[in-house]
């Protein structure tokens, strides 16, 4: 009996990774019925959707907690808790995400990671022994100081007052005291699903590369970068280590740096964590075909995005890989040199984005059905 592993990422604003996998399975089932076995493994690369993919894969329970949003207002943030392993799955975008702020209100001088720290504290209170933290999709550029403050760190200005929310105040930091941090952080292990490798500072750092998409003007960039350099100078003096140029330290506006302060934290490519937690290698060994995909595939997909991570893992076992995208953009052909054997687009012709998103599941199932028919006649 044929065995197909279906391992897509989410199709943003249209369907979750599990919903996409189910649509693909339905299309294939219409052709092959019970003569094929299907293993659905929802994927993500550390960005938005990582929480949902791991929740679906690990069969956690979703909980909601009210935390401080990126602009200081309360938000309802979801996380998943796996009781059996006492593992919490957190996505910082739930608490500190860019999608929580309207386009005209985006301003990284003001945004904070405090709510993400509150989520971590909450799962510690729940008894978490292990945390998987996805840090993609952030609205922040505060170096993670809000996150640290929420967990008990004292980050003070020259008058001994706590630094307020936002990257604009990084320049005012005079002292950082970690002796008041929540002591439970000394024992808990945290796997950080990180979808970028940028350092904290410099032209390839958090501020210059990601600040503009979070609403930073050129003038703001100068203020934020100067503040980030100053912050790291104080931090490095405090802990006796330079973290600024570690790959991933600039992730989520510098939250990667704050996380590296803790003793049992590992920054990993998000796709590596998801592949491991879903036991992808175990399932792919017995497979005849792997199907992956996400909302858009283009020339940037080869830089650590989900379809490439899946393809590379599949090619270790010499398995054929098909990728399906909502839309194919410039340079998509490059993925064929990185383990993907064929690429297909869900798009069925000119339509509005709203209609394409609304019909995503139906269109994906239809395309999967056609691919399955072709696969059948070639075997």
């Amino acid at each position: 009996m044929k065995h197909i592993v279906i391992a897509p990422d989410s199709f943003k604003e249209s369907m979750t990774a599990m919903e996409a996998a189910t649509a693909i399975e339905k299309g294939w089932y219409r052709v092959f019925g019970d003569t094929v076995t299907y293993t659905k493994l929802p994927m993500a690369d550390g960005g938005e959707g990582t929480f949902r993919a791991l929740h679906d894969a690990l069969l956690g329970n979703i909980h909601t907690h009210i935390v401080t949003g990126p602009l200081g207002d309360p938000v309802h943030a979801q996380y998943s808790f796996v009781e059996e392993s006492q593992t919490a799955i957190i996505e910082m975008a739930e608490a500190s995400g860019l999608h929580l702020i309207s386009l005209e209100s985006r301003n990284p001088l003001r945004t904070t990671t405090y709510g993400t720290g509150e989520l971590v504290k909450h799962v510690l209170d729940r008894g978490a022994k292990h945390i998987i933290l996805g840090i993609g999709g952030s609205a922040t550029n505060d170096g993670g100081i809000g996150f640290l403050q929420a967990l008990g760190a004292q980050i003070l200005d020259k008058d001994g007052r706590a630094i307020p929310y936002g990257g604009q105040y990084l320049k005012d930091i005079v002292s950082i005291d970690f002796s008041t941090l929540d002591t439970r952080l000394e024992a808990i292990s945290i796997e950080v699903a990180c979808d970028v490798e940028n350092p904290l500072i410099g032209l390839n750092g958090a501020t210059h590369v990601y600040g503009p998409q979070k609403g930073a003007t050129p003038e703001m960039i100068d203020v934020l970068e100067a503040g980030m350099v100053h912050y790291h100078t104080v931090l490095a003096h405090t802990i006796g280590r330079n973290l600024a140029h570690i790959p991933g330290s600039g992730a989520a506006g510098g939250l990667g740096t704050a996380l590296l302060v803790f003793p049992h934290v590992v920054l990993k490519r998000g796709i590596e964590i998801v592949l491991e937690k879903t036991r992808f290698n175990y399932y792919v060994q017995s497979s005849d075909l792997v199907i992956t995909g996400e909302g858009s595939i283009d020339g940037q997909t080869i830089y650590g995005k989900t379809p490439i991570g899946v393809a590379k893992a599949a090619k270790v076992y010499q398995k054929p890989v098909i990728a399906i995208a909502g839309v194919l953009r410039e340079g998509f052909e490059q993925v064929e040199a990185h383990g993907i054997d064929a690429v297909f687009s869900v798009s069925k012709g000119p339509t509005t984005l709203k209609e394409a998103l609304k019909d995503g599941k139906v269109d994906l199932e239809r395309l999967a059905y056609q691919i399955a028919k072709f696969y059948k006649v070639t075997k």
Side-chain angles (χ1 to χ4, degrees), residues 104-119:
E104 60 273 12
S105 298
R106 293 176 181 177
N107 183 347
L109 292 173
R110 297 177 52 206
T111 49
T112 180
T113 51
Y114 196 91
T116 300
E118 289 178 311
L119 264 187

Side-chain angles (χ1 to χ4, degrees), residues 361-379:
K361 293 177 191 175
V362 173
D363 291 341
L364 180 56
E365 181 182 334
R366 286 173 178 166
L367 175 61
Y369 169 71
Q370 293 297 328
I371 295 172
K373 287 176 67 177
F374 180 75
Y375 184 83
K376 185 175 184 179
V377 301
T378 60
K379 292 299 179 180

Side-chain angles (χ1 to χ4, degrees), residues 234-295:
V234 178
L235 178 65
H237 176 75
T238 301
I239 64 175
R241 282 193 297 150
N242 186 322
L243 304 176
H245 300 291
I246 294 176
S249 60
L255 178 59
T257 292
L259 284 160
L260 287 168
V261 169
F262 303 140
H264 305 294
V265 169
V266 179
L267 300 185
K268 293 184 178 179
R269 282 187 175 274
I271 186 60
E272 292 176 4
I273 291 178
V274 178
L275 287 168
E276 176 189 337
K277 301 304 179 187
T278 58
R279 300 176 67 207
F280 179 87
N281 286 355
Y282 168 78
Y283 291 110
V284 79
Q285 291 180 59
S286 63
S287 71
D288 297 284
L289 175 69
V290 175
I291 304 175
T292 186
E294 63 179 347

Side-chain angles (χ1 to χ4, degrees), residues 28-342:
W28 278 73
Y29 189 85
R30 287 166 56 190
V31 177
F32 289 100
D34 293 326
T35 64
V36 169
T37 60
Y38 308 94
T39 299
K40 295 183 291 184
L41 302 176
M43 291 285 128
D45 60 12
E48 291 176 71
T50 300
F51 148 69
R52 178 63 65 171
L54 287 171
H55 163 77
D56 288 337
L58 301 181
L59 304 177
N61 295 305
I62 289 182
H63 303 272
T64 302
H65 185 56
I66 298 175
V67 298
T68 303
L71 288 175
D73 302 317
V75 298
H76 291 77
Q78 290 188 324
Y79 66 93
S80 180
F81 198 82
V82 184
E83 296 289 347
E84 183 179 357
S85 60
Q86 296 292 282
T87 296
I89 305 164
I90 297 174
E91 188 166 290
M92 79 163 297
E94 283 286 312
S96 313
L98 192 62
H99 73 282
L100 297 172
I101 308 176
S102 65
L103 193 60
E104 60 273 12
S105 298
R106 293 176 181 177
N107 183 347
L109 292 173
R110 297 177 52 206
T111 49
T112 180
T113 51
Y114 196 91
T116 300
E118 289 178 311
L119 264 187
V120 169
K121 185 177 186 302
H122 177 71
V123 300
L124 289 174
D125 293 341
R126 198 177 194 93
K129 300 292 188 263
H130 178 65
I131 295 174
I132 303 172
L133 175 60
I135 60 173
S138 74
T140 55
N141 204 95
D142 71 345
I145 63 167
F147 177 84
L148 293 170
Q149 288 172 319
L151 290 165
Q154 298 294 309
I155 303 176
L156 309 174
D157 65 15
K158 62 181 177 61
D159 297 317
R161 296 176 299 194
I163 293 296
Y165 297 154
Q168 63 185 312
Y169 297 107
L170 292 174
K171 65 180 181 357
D172 298 326
I173 297 173
V174 169
S175 67
I176 302 175
D177 182 3
F178 291 126
S179 67
T180 51
L181 270 176
D182 192 316
T183 56
R184 293 172 295 182
L185 293 165
E186 297 173 8
I188 196 164
S189 64
I190 304 177
E191 287 183 276
V192 182
C194 179
D195 58 351
V196 302
E197 295 187 348
N198 302 77
L200 180 65
I201 57 178
L203 293 179
N204 195 38
T207 302
H208 282 283
V209 175
Y210 299 106
Q213 72 186 42
K214 300 175 185 183
T217 64
E219 293 75 21
M220 289 182 192
I221 295 292
D222 291 339
V223 172
L224 290 165
E225 180 69 2
M228 200 73 86
V229 170
H230 173 74
Y231 157 59
H232 182 261
T233 299
V234 178
L235 178 65
H237 176 75
T238 301
I239 64 175
R241 282 193 297 150
N242 186 322
L243 304 176
H245 300 291
I246 294 176
S249 60
L255 178 59
T257 292
L259 284 160
L260 287 168
V261 169
F262 303 140
H264 305 294
V265 169
V266 179
L267 300 185
K268 293 184 178 179
R269 282 187 175 274
I271 186 60
E272 292 176 4
I273 291 178
V274 178
L275 287 168
E276 176 189 337
K277 301 304 179 187
T278 58
R279 300 176 67 207
F280 179 87
N281 286 355
Y282 168 78
Y283 291 110
V284 79
Q285 291 180 59
S286 63
S287 71
D288 297 284
L289 175 69
V290 175
I291 304 175
T292 186
E294 63 179 347
S296 174
I297 291 179
D298 58 24
Q300 295 300 307
T301 300
I302 64 174
Y303 298 108
K305 293 298 184 181
T306 293
I308 296 302
V310 169
K312 287 183 176 179
K315 287 307 180 186
V316 171
Y317 303 97
Q318 299 180 318
K319 304 299 182 179
V321 180
I322 290 173
I324 301 174
V327 62
L328 299 176
R329 302 191 188 278
E330 184 177 355
F332 76 88
E333 301 94 340
Q334 295 179 47
V335 302
E336 295 173 7
H338 295 267
I340 292 176
D341 298 293

